[in-house]
Amino acid sequence: MFENPQIVDRFLQFWRESGNQRGGWLYGRYELHPEVPLGMKAVVCAIYEPPQETSKDTLKLLPDPKEEVVEEIAANLGLRRVGWIFTDLIPLSGGKVKCYRGGETHFLSAQEIITAAHYQNTFPNKCKQTDEGMFGSKFTTVCVTGNKENEVHMEGYQVSNQCMALVKDEILVPTKDAPELGYVIESTDEKYVPDVFFMEMDKYKNEIKKVGRPLPVEYLLIDVPVSSPLQPLETFAILEGDRNHFAVGNRLLESSLQDFNSFAQYMSQFRSAEFLTAVSDLHVLIFMATQDIMPLRDFLGPLYEAIRTANVEAATEWSYLDHWSQMQALIQATTMN
């Protein structure tokens, strides 16, 4: 569940401006699901976009030098990485998008499923009832694509524990020309690979067993509902009126240039009494922790706590400390020029 529609809308702005696809990490928290017995739900509070190479039909996530800082900020705010999101949008006329994913083609491609399994293996679910202390994963994949009405639509998925095992053991690979099919590799002198079977109906409605060469990847998928609450929530501030959000990092767009000048222009939109609102933004906090003009990373602990508890007084008190007073002077000098 996304706390509010603005989270995804801000993420999609990159595609709207460039036409290129985009990927990001979902940061949020896990809560008990009141409508599902023993159920859990991931509540997404923000999307962080790591460095990536993108085009109109490709997406490649790159190593992130800020990953440690982002994880540190999230942990201090009581958040964690709960999933990943990517776009697969082809524009049509009239503001519509093409619909080509579904039961007749594929929901996720074999390559996407293998990637999802890799991330689920990277973020396993802790479990006291197993010898390894881990079982399965709650990590989620969200694909933004076109639905049958040619509107932008989100679909959520996980892959099965069997798929996680196949990918962990490096025996499942994508096929070259059929995105809906994976392939279980064959044994070699160095590596024994047991046969993997699946059941399928033949044209006479008989259930037959087939070896997974190739393997329809829909057998490995689990649907996960994606939603937003009727009453929007906001761990981070929702800006209204003429106020603009701070630029999102790692976007190679002129409108998303992230430097001290854009930071100063952003902060100048707020009065001193609105300091908590101004800094209640994951991208603002990452910039504050990583900028070189006046390093603040070692001083941000009390501010994280103020944001986590929505404590206006604590945030205002932090803004009176010397390190932010000096930063405020630089901001004022920058905006006056």
Side-chain angles (χ1 to χ4, degrees):
M1 181 183 79
F2 288 86
E3 282 194 325
N4 56 76
Q6 196 176 82
I7 296 171
V8 178
D9 190 65
R10 192 176 179 187
F11 171 69
L12 291 178
Q13 192 60 37
F14 178 88
W15 171 78
R16 294 191 185 104
E17 292 186 30
S18 69
N20 289 353
Q21 307 306 327
R22 197 68 177 165
W25 300 117
L26 305 177
Y27 278 90
R29 59 186 178 272
Y30 293 112
E31 296 179 354
L32 293 176
H33 201 307
E35 300 174 4
V36 179
L38 302 179
M40 299 282 290
K41 63 179 178 180
V43 180
V44 178
C45 307
I47 299 174
Y48 169 70
E49 301 171 24
Q52 51 197 280
E53 294 176 354
T54 64
S55 69
K56 297 185 187 303
D57 52 13
T58 61
L59 166 64
K60 179 182 180 182
L61 301 184
L62 303 175
D64 186 4
K66 296 181 181 178
E67 182 176 8
E68 180 182 343
V69 176
V70 177
E71 291 292 315
E72 176 185 300
I73 294 171
N76 278 282
L77 296 174
L79 307 177
R80 64 174 73 179
R81 209 183 310 190
V82 298
W84 70 301
I85 184 172
F86 67 93
T87 63
D88 186 13
L89 295 166
I90 300 174
L92 301 175
S93 60
K96 299 292 187 177
V97 291
K98 185 176 181 179
C99 170
Y100 71 95
R101 289 179 183 249
E104 298 77 22
T105 53
H106 64 281
F107 297 100
L108 289 183
S109 70
Q111 183 63 68
E112 292 161 354
I113 283 177
I114 291 169
T115 303
H118 167 73
Y119 290 147
Q120 287 182 212
N121 282 319
T122 304
F123 299 94
N125 183 53
K126 293 182 180 179
C127 179
K128 297 179 181 179
Q129 308 303 320
T130 64
D131 294 337
E132 298 82 3
M134 304 288 181
F135 182 78
S137 174
K138 295 191 288 287
F139 203 77
T140 306
T141 297
V142 177
C143 174
V144 186
T145 187
N147 62 12
K148 292 182 179 179
E149 288 74 38
N150 298 113
E151 297 172 340
V152 175
H153 178 69
M154 291 186 293
E155 292 286 351
Y157 302 100
Q158 285 186 312
V159 299
S160 65
N161 289 357
Q162 293 93 331
C163 180
M164 291 172 61
L166 292 173
V167 172
K168 184 178 180 180
D169 292 336
E170 300 180 346
I171 62 175
L172 179 65
V173 296
T175 54
K176 184 176 180 181
D177 299 319
E180 73 277 9
L181 298 176
Y183 192 89
V184 177
I185 65 173
E186 300 180 18
S187 297
T188 65
D189 293 338
E190 292 78 23
K191 185 173 187 176
Y192 169 72
V193 178
D195 287 335
V196 176
F197 297 96
F198 65 95
M199 304 301 292
E200 188 177 62
M201 288 283 192
D202 64 13
K203 62 181 180 180
Y204 303 108
K205 304 299 182 183
N206 297 315
E207 196 171 48
I208 58 174
K209 182 189 291 186
K210 299 184 71 173
V211 69
R213 299 186 183 99
L215 172 66
V217 293
E218 62 186 23
Y219 285 87
L220 308 174
L221 267 183
I222 303 168
D223 281 332
V224 177
V226 180
S227 63
S228 293
L230 295 176
Q231 186 66 34
L233 306 173
E234 50 176 304
T235 297
F236 298 108
I238 299 176
L239 300 186
E240 298 177 347
D242 296 332
R243 286 176 173 169
N244 297 317
H245 280 290
F246 184 55
V248 177
N250 300 316
R251 289 185 176 181
L252 301 179
L253 295 174
E254 187 174 346
S255 61
S256 298
L257 184 63
Q258 200 180 75
D259 57 13
F260 192 81
N261 183 62
S262 63
F263 177 68
Q265 294 294 334
Y266 168 79
M267 293 300 299
S268 67
Q269 300 177 107
F270 303 91
R271 295 178 288 111
S272 58
E274 299 173 309
F275 179 72
L276 179 61
T277 300
V279 297
S280 291
D281 185 314
L282 179 62
H283 306 286
V284 172
L285 294 173
I286 294 170
F287 182 82
M288 290 172 63
T290 57
Q291 51 84 27
D292 298 325
I293 294 178
M294 188 170 294
L296 294 173
R297 182 177 177 181
D298 295 338
F299 306 104
L300 290 172
L303 182 61
Y304 296 145
E305 181 64 18
I307 295 171
R308 189 180 68 81
T309 58
N311 191 325
V312 177
E313 292 182 1
T316 303
E317 183 179 337
W318 186 89
S319 71
Y320 293 148
L321 299 179
D322 288 344
H323 38 263
W324 182 254
S325 297
Q326 295 172 16
M327 177 68 77
Q328 187 67 32
L330 287 174
I331 291 172
Q332 291 175 352
T334 301
T335 55
M336 289 176 62
N337 293 336

